[in-house]
Amino acid sequence: DTEVTQTPKHLVMGMTNKKSLKCEQHMGHRAMYWYKQKAKKPPELMFVYSYEKLSINESVPSRFSPECPNSSLLNLHLHALQPEDSALYLCASSQDGGRVNEQYFGPGTRLTVT
Amino acid sequence: AQSVTQPDIHITVSEGASLELRCNYSYGATPYLFWYVQSPGQGLQLLLKYFSGDTLVQGIKGFEAEFKRSQSSFNLRKPSVHWSDAAEYFCAVGAKGGYQKVTFGTGTKLQVIP
């Protein structure tokens, strides 16, 4: 099973709402990633978890809060977002938590902030 | 820090014609190189990767890429394009021995005409 799943597929939220994005993989991968992708742009790295610990935070605003409850799950908690945060949020995983290797991406969550 | 350039924003080819997408990287040592494909509204799918060894790499869907150290390039090729190949293609580079961060190019949008 080489699948990374993400829920929900679409999310519309107001600027005062609190919501969460969920990502799951069952490949035994030890690194998991959150990316933000705006239209016609490449993915931008937000966070990396390695062995369930936060290893990279690309200076992401605190209104985005990641969580890795276990090695298969990754959440992104959203609070007080701005309209400019509307984007496709991609989750990815890779086998080795300690070095670069190929990443497997989920289909993404299309987020719209109103 | 590593970087990658995809000089072609948009390429149009006829179905059945050959394809070459350009990718140039900047990194002081031997990099890890990847090509990903993204269909509209979807996640990214790994086409192929280069870590070491044979500089001509075969991937999925009939794609191949050649690592040329002297030209700092990792161009993607396909001998005969199918209409289903229409998508966005991203080249990416990671630092060998480094952490899990991968840097993506700006992407090349491929249009296939009948």
Side-chain angles (χ1 to χ4, degrees), chain B residues 83-101:
Chain B
W83 64 267
S84 59
D85 293 323
E88 189 88 24
Y89 291 79
F90 293 99
C91 182
V93 61
K96 195 169 193 175
Y99 224 9
Q100 308 98 333
K101 184 173 180 178

Side-chain angles (χ1 to χ4, degrees), chain B residues 50-65:
Chain B
Y50 173 78
F51 286 1
S52 65
D54 192 345
T55 57
L56 184 62
V57 180
Q58 301 297 319
I60 63 171
K61 304 185 180 188
F63 286 93
E64 67 177 26

